[in-house]
Amino acid sequence: MKKVVANMTMGNDMSPLFQEVIACMGVPDLEVKKMVYLFLINYARARAEIANLAVNGFEDDVNDPNPLVRAMAIRTMGYIYVERVIESLIDPLRHCLRDRDPYVRKTAAMAVLKLSMFDRSLVEEERFLDMLKDLLADSNPSVVANAVAALTEISERSPHIKLKLNMKIANKLITALNECNEWGQIYILESLMYVVPQDSSDAETIMERIMPRLQHGNSGVVLVSIKVIAYMMNYVSQVETLEPILRKLSPPLVTLLTSGPEV
């Protein structure tokens, strides 16, 4: 398999070996499976018969006891835009979104995003958006971050799907910030732009809770935090409340101005 993948990455057509490669899906070795999946992603779109032959192997792997195998299988199926594979993805994806392992759940969340790129109406019909919203309350911050990322991307790509978050969800998202990496924090902070505070106190609560992000070492996190605070300021009724907030915004803004040109 290593030689097949090496030749494939050099541009050599290795698709005639697809039957032999698919036979390797049954090998209980994680590294072998990774290379088989890479082969399938590379050739399945152009050679639909390859993907069709792999369906049984995928169905076995999404039920594998090893969560890494389950996650790899669901991720790979999400990358293969072939009708039969997509049809076979629906039920396993639903189960993986409720999987006991957080790594499988967070991988499944991104698979919903991939599926929406292929067939947005299918995602709506199968109520995957509702399942993603349920993951916003997940106990694992990485799962929350991936669910937010998927929902945000789907909302931005769709003219009629609009993400709306209430204060209960917003508070849970902010709580998850401390446990997320920079990528996750940026997505969670961006999602707060979809929160419409019901009154001034809601806006003040959100601003107060994300204010510590202004001291973050990552300029992207700081920039999005400023963006959210500026948005929430529109819902603050007392002008005197805004003055100390504006003073706190000045130092990070000055720091950003002295950063690289990309900032």
Side-chain angles (χ1 to χ4, degrees):
M1 277 306 304
K2 287 182 179 179
K3 289 183 179 179
V4 171
V5 171
N7 276 275
M8 184 179 71
T9 55
M10 289 188 292
N12 298 323
D13 183 15
M14 306 304 290
S15 60
L17 296 174
F18 70 87
Q19 288 185 329
E20 289 80 3
V21 172
I22 288 173
C24 293
M25 289 185 77
V27 176
D29 184 273
L30 201 59
E31 292 304 315
V32 172
K33 284 186 180 293
K34 286 180 182 179
M35 291 184 282
V36 171
Y37 287 158
L38 185 60
F39 179 92
L40 291 170
I41 291 171
N42 195 57
Y43 291 117
R45 294 185 191 180
R47 299 280 300 274
E49 71 274 14
I50 296 177
N52 292 337
L53 289 171
V55 167
N56 290 337
F58 282 131
E59 290 174 347
D60 289 339
D61 284 351
V62 293
N63 293 305
D64 194 276
N66 188 336
L68 294 178
V69 174
R70 297 200 298 275
M72 276 200 305
I74 210 73
R75 180 192 295 119
T76 304
M77 292 177 80
Y79 274 102
I80 299 175
Y81 300 147
V82 175
E83 190 170 349
R84 191 180 169 197
V85 175
I86 295 299
E87 289 173 359
S88 303
L89 171 64
I90 303 304
D91 286 336
L93 181 55
R94 188 177 287 108
H95 291 302
C96 286
L97 286 166
R98 298 192 180 107
D99 196 276
R100 63 186 179 277
D101 191 277
Y103 183 74
V104 179
R105 295 198 300 275
K106 77 172 192 174
T107 304
M110 299 311 291
V112 174
L113 172 59
K114 292 294 181 182
L115 180 60
S116 73
M117 295 177 184
F118 176 77
D119 191 339
R120 190 179 298 126
S121 62
L122 182 62
V123 169
E124 296 179 61
E125 289 168 10
E126 297 293 337
R127 305 188 68 83
F128 284 130
L129 294 178
D130 292 335
M131 296 184 75
L132 282 179
K133 289 176 182 176
D134 290 341
L135 289 181
L136 296 179
D138 197 276
S139 59
N140 187 284
S142 296
V143 176
V144 174
N146 278 28
V148 166
L151 283 167
T152 304
E153 290 277 351
I154 292 171
S155 178
E156 290 176 352
R157 291 170 179 269
S158 173
H160 61 279
I161 298 175
K162 297 301 176 187
L163 180 61
K164 294 180 181 178
L165 304 177
N166 56 35
M167 277 299 295
K168 182 179 179 182
I169 293 175
N171 282 320
K172 288 182 178 179
L173 292 176
I174 295 171
T175 300
L177 279 173
N178 288 331
E179 306 297 326
C180 293
N181 58 22
E182 287 88 350
W183 178 88
Q185 289 184 44
I186 289 171
Y187 264 112
I188 288 176
L189 288 166
E190 283 279 8
S191 72
L192 297 178
M193 298 294 290
Y194 294 94
V195 178
V196 179
Q198 297 303 302
D199 51 42
S200 180
S201 64
D202 285 347
E204 290 174 33
T205 299
I206 291 176
M207 288 191 292
E208 182 181 347
R209 293 192 67 188
I210 67 172
M211 202 68 75
R213 302 291 134 195
L214 296 176
Q215 310 300 321
H216 200 279
N218 184 287
S219 58
V221 174
V222 176
L223 205 54
V224 180
S225 299
I226 292 172
K227 179 181 174 182
V228 175
I229 291 170
Y231 165 68
M232 291 297 164
M233 286 170 66
N234 294 310
Y235 296 92
V236 176
S237 55
Q238 301 290 331
V239 177
E240 55 269 23
T241 305
L242 296 176
E243 292 179 1
I245 295 172
L246 290 170
R247 284 197 295 271
K248 290 180 181 178
L249 287 179
S250 298
L253 281 170
V254 171
T255 302
L256 288 174
L257 288 171
T258 60
S259 301
E262 70 276 3
V263 177

